[in-house]
Amino acid sequence: MTLAAATELAAVTDLSGVTELAAATNEQLAKYSDVLIHSAMVVYTLAFFAYIAEWLFGSRSKVGRTAAALTAGAGKKADAPAITVKQAGGTAVLERPQVVVRSATGARDVPDGPGAHGGDEKGDLYGRIAVSLTVLAFLVEFAGVLARALSVQRAPWGNMYEFNITFSTVAVGVYLTLLALKKNVRWLGLILITTVLLDLGLAVTVLYTESDQLVPALHSYWLYIHVSTAIFCGAVFYVGAMTTVLYLFKDSYENKLMSGGTPGRFATSVLERLPAAASLDKFSYRVNAAVFPLWTFTIIAGAIWAGDAWGRYWGWDPKEVWSFITWVAYAGYLHARATAGWKGRKAAYIALIAFGCWLFNYYGVNIFVSGKHSYADV
Amino acid sequence: MSTTDTKGTEKESADDLGAAGSQLSTAPREEAPNLPSLGVIGWARWFWRQLTSMRVALLLLFLLSLGAIPGSLIPQSGTDATKVADFMDRHETLGPIYEKLGLFHVYSSVWFSAIYILLFVSLIGCIVPRTWQFVGQLRGRPPGAPKRLTRLPAYTTWRTGAEPEQVREVALRVLKQHRFRAHVAGDAVAAEKGYLREAGNLLFHIALIVMLVAFAWGQLYKSEGNKLVVEGDGFANTITQYDDFKSGSLFSIDHDLEPFSFDLKEFKGTYEVSGPNKGTPRTYEADVTYSVGADGEEKRTTIKVNEPLKIGDSKVYLVSHGYAPVVTVRDGKGKVVYKGAVPLLPQDSNVTSSGAIKVLDGYRNADGEREQLGFNAFFVPSFAGEGQGTMLSQFPALLNPRLALSAYHGDVGVDSGIAQNVYQLDTRKLEKFEDSDGELLTERLAPGETMQLPDGAGSITFEKEIKEWAGFQVTEQPGSGWALLGAIAAIGGLAGSLFIQRRRVWVRAVRGADGVTVVEMAGLGRSESAKVPEELGRLAAVVYDAAPTAPDAPPERTQDQDPDPSDAQPTEEPSADTSTPDPQVVSAEGADKQ
Ligand code: HEM
């Protein structure tokens, strides 16, 4: 057979379909982008210290709701429905009905912690500062990503450097959106910003790539759909995974309290301020379940693109395999939650494994495995 | 059976709620894996129950993802046979072991197939009974109210002057308006909503089966072949015309090749002419005329890289391109013995190309003996210029083409019966033509130039017309439409399954001991969710408007309608902690308004 060689060459020479992206690299914009990314790192660092301050000041206040709910004869109380009826002092005020919520039988009735500031006013102030700084850093980083995209006149995910900066921007964006939706997630800030700083540090040192043209096979609008949803799903899965880890810690903490143990002071100080394990578990489930259909769509969009570009929609290329593994792992997680004996911690471990698969699909496959997707410049 | 999604203590909750919480989902009940004591049928039934349980489905999902891993790390013969051979060479002990385990073709190996076939048998075994159950639920009515509504995750109550029948009537109307399925059962209205969740879940699992079958079908019946076509030439979709051809195991050559043909009229490539990306391809287009069937009407179209030509289940992709210089070979007497376009293979991104020209018959040398001629050919579309020496192209387009030839005569070796690479010259039985220094005769020609072979052996002319060729891949994968349909259904079903909450609402209205009507409303979701109490609040507000608080209700008293007072322990409203309102109480939204 003689054409294999020709076909391979075609992959290098490549036959690009889309033409409008005449892309002369604009070096000036690329430089702006670098400056903006570095500036974003500085602001993130400030935000990082503000989150630290929030936690530090929060530790001064004594919150012990979890402990209070789980110890001191709480066993009975947990089963009792907390029926509350408003009392209107003396006069016959016509009261509207109040809906009373109780946990399902057998579930622990643990109140959520107040958040990292622990109810401390100064802590709360620092927390607000931290969020404001995060918003600022997000805007700067976003501008940096945008400048990068404009400098190459294409989507900013042609190599691992660009993927990293885009990914961290989207992850912070997801966090800020959750905050804007009035979800109780500020406690996630410190971990998120720490990892964002690590991610950016890695990006600007090890992974940095001069702004450059894309391999032309990547010129397809399916790329925009496929990769942008993939990045978004990754960011949301990441939020889910962080919450899952916290759930595991908090759950151990509650278990220890239930069995009459005394957790360490540091663990108490940190974990008392987080939401109840059940809330964390529910939150991570919602987050993971909400993006699972989108992740399914991402894989299908990729298959459609592969069908148009490579002549087969599914060929067990390493990237495809790992997307599939990630998908099956998350499906396993959703199943585990519906399977008696697998709820709670076991399901949480599966969720973490599933996110591990997602991470490996990105870093591991790009670095260790070669396949058609190996456009990434390491 | 797990009815309320609680942690542990299933039994207790089942006792609590009776039938009220049952069948909020059709998930199979979990049974302890008791070993059967009966004979073969007992065992078969036991095995089937195990296979269709959630636990085993989970295990199989886990195995499926584990099993998929080696295929991404070990070279696969389906995608890269040379790498597999290379691996076999380098690992003398490991190689054969891998081979035995099917690790070079994981996704068609026996064990991988076993996992997914088991999974899908389990899936079918799961779907069929669940569908029946679901149909039964749709036919039946929502279960009646449990005795103690206070036990439910969302609860509200008030006393009203309205008659109990009146309240029930209002509640029934309100719930139906909110598209609940509702009916009056005894002293309460029972209502349920969100059946689409179950329907979505079933649709999703069925769609998975559709996708798998479509995929398997496609694998078994697929075909894939490559063909290089020079401008002006054509291709008819029969197996003999392919340069190479692969097909699935059930593919039948006689029946399954779509009858069509096409001619390549013109290939057009454009390239970035300046800037840092100079030479980067901008467009590749192949203008073709094609016809379907034996005598179909001829149509024109353009095939681009991401836009294949679709004919039935077949797709024609443009996958490569190159140049085919036209040469004319004459013998010593000036008779044309060969004239044609010779496709050459690109070697780099600027289409420096190489190949061979073979004149097999019709040539006689100066002595009048039959001989064959062979030329090694190098071609550059954009020559750097005199003195720049090397035959490396500077640009992919035809700016300054040159053809470098070295000439041989003798036996090209095609007759020996061994398949030969048309792009390479086998020089073992060939003699060099020599130049005046006794070296291999080599010349670099511009278009229109001719290279003379020594001693009246003839000549070869590099014609001014230079053709281009395009490589086409023709694939046929039946069932891809079904796969796509399954995929879309899967996403839709999944969204329904994950975003819709199935929940029940009960409204009980009874005359209390003091003659005042007591209304109780409670909600139950399949899983704990903030939405259930919120919705209950909204519904309660509407019902409340029609049946407001009895004016003579003693306001100071905490209300306690529970038939069993020990069950409900009213607590005082939390007052101390104002910064963080007690999360357990959700105000009945809308009820406070007006
Ligand atoms: C190809 C393999 C399978 C995949 C990818 C898959 C995927 C999923 C997903 C993503 C869900 C989540 C939807 C939700 O939480 O409502 C789900 C739910 C479910 N699956 Fe599967 N599934 C597979 C096989 C099976 C099998 C073999 C069974 C039967 C034993 C099964 C039974 C169920 C049930 C009962 C639910 C609903 C659980 C509930 O009510 O929450 N699935 N499945």
Side-chain angles (χ1 to χ4, degrees), chain B residues 153-226:
Chain B
Y155 175 81
T156 187
T157 182
W158 70 93
R159 292 151 61 86
T160 177
E163 292 300 308
E165 296 76 32
Q166 225 178 326
V167 175
R168 284 197 287 270
E169 226 167 81
V170 169
L172 191 66
R173 203 185 60 232
V174 168
L175 285 165
K176 282 192 168 160
Q177 268 169 3
H178 285 78
R179 287 191 282 135
F180 274 79
R181 286 180 66 210
H183 68 117
V184 178
D187 59 0
V189 178
E192 183 165 359
K193 191 176 174 179
Y195 291 87
L196 265 180
R197 177 204 174 84
E198 209 69 22
N201 188 280
L202 289 171
L203 176 67
F204 169 71
H205 286 87
I206 292 168
L208 286 183
I209 296 178
V210 172
M211 277 163 77
L212 179 87
V213 171
F215 187 65
W217 187 270
Q219 291 293 309
L220 292 173
Y221 287 96
K222 77 170 175 198
S223 70
E224 179 185 312
N226 284 294

Side-chain angles (χ1 to χ4, degrees), chain B residues 388-463:
Chain B
Q388 304 288 112
T390 52
M391 278 292 279
L392 275 181
S393 178
Q394 306 299 306
F395 194 74
L398 286 173
L399 298 183
N400 188 17
R402 287 291 184 282
L403 180 67
L405 295 168
S406 49
Y408 298 83
H409 62 107
D411 182 0
V412 169
V414 179
D415 305 331
S416 66
I418 299 163
Q420 248 205 349
N421 186 333
V422 287
Y423 302 98
Q424 272 173 3
L425 204 56
D426 178 0
T427 56
R428 276 174 304 180
K429 293 185 185 164
L430 287 172
E431 269 177 66
K432 295 169 183 168
F433 279 113
E434 289 173 356
D435 62 12
S436 49
D437 300 333
E439 297 286 320
L440 172 66
L441 177 70
T442 301
E443 220 170 290
R444 187 172 62 220
L445 305 174
E449 289 182 345
T450 298
M451 165 170 151
Q452 293 295 336
L453 301 177
D455 310 323
S459 68
I460 179 165
T461 307
F462 174 26
E463 302 291 350

Side-chain angles (χ1 to χ4, degrees), chain A residues 292 335 338, chain B residues 25 52 122-123 126 130 197 201 204-205 497 526:
Chain A
F292 186 75
H335 265 223
Chain B
S25 128
T52 56
S122 165
L123 187 53
C126 191
R130 286 182 60 202
R197 177 204 174 84
N201 188 280
F204 169 71
H205 286 87
S497 165
R526 205 191 63 98

Side-chain angles (χ1 to χ4, degrees), chain A residues 4-69:
Chain A
T7 317
E8 293 228 334
L9 274 165
V12 183
T13 323
D14 216 281
L15 306 185
S16 141
V18 181
T19 53
E20 68 270 27
L21 302 167
T25 308
N26 186 329
E27 285 179 23
Q28 199 57 41
L29 267 173
K31 270 191 205 123
Y32 287 147
S33 167
D34 291 352
V35 170
L36 284 166
I37 296 294
H38 282 94
S39 315
M41 286 176 72
V42 172
V43 187
Y44 277 131
T45 311
L46 294 176
F48 171 78
F49 284 120
Y51 281 117
I52 296 262
E54 182 188 13
W55 279 95
L56 284 181
F57 281 103
S59 71
R60 294 195 307 200
S61 65
K62 275 273 164 274
V63 276
R65 305 177 193 208
T66 311

Side-chain angles (χ1 to χ4, degrees), chain B residues 87-163:
Chain B
F87 187 94
M88 288 293 275
D89 284 346
R90 276 186 294 120
H91 301 86
E92 275 176 17
T93 44
L94 214 54
I97 297 177
Y98 278 17
E99 178 99 70
K100 274 235 165 59
L101 293 174
L103 288 176
F104 295 122
H105 56 99
V106 166
Y107 307 108
S108 53
S109 69
V110 176
W111 54 270
F112 191 77
S113 313
I115 297 174
Y116 72 73
I117 289 172
L118 270 182
L119 184 59
F120 276 86
V121 171
S122 165
L123 187 53
I124 293 167
C126 191
I127 287 176
V128 173
R130 286 182 60 202
T131 309
W132 279 122
Q133 224 182 318
F134 184 56
V135 169
Q137 290 172 14
L138 282 183
R139 282 220 190 119
R141 294 171 137 186
K147 251 205 317 235
R148 301 171 194 159
L149 287 180
T150 46
R151 282 275 186 176
L152 293 173
Y155 175 81
T156 187
T157 182
W158 70 93
R159 292 151 61 86
T160 177
E163 292 300 308

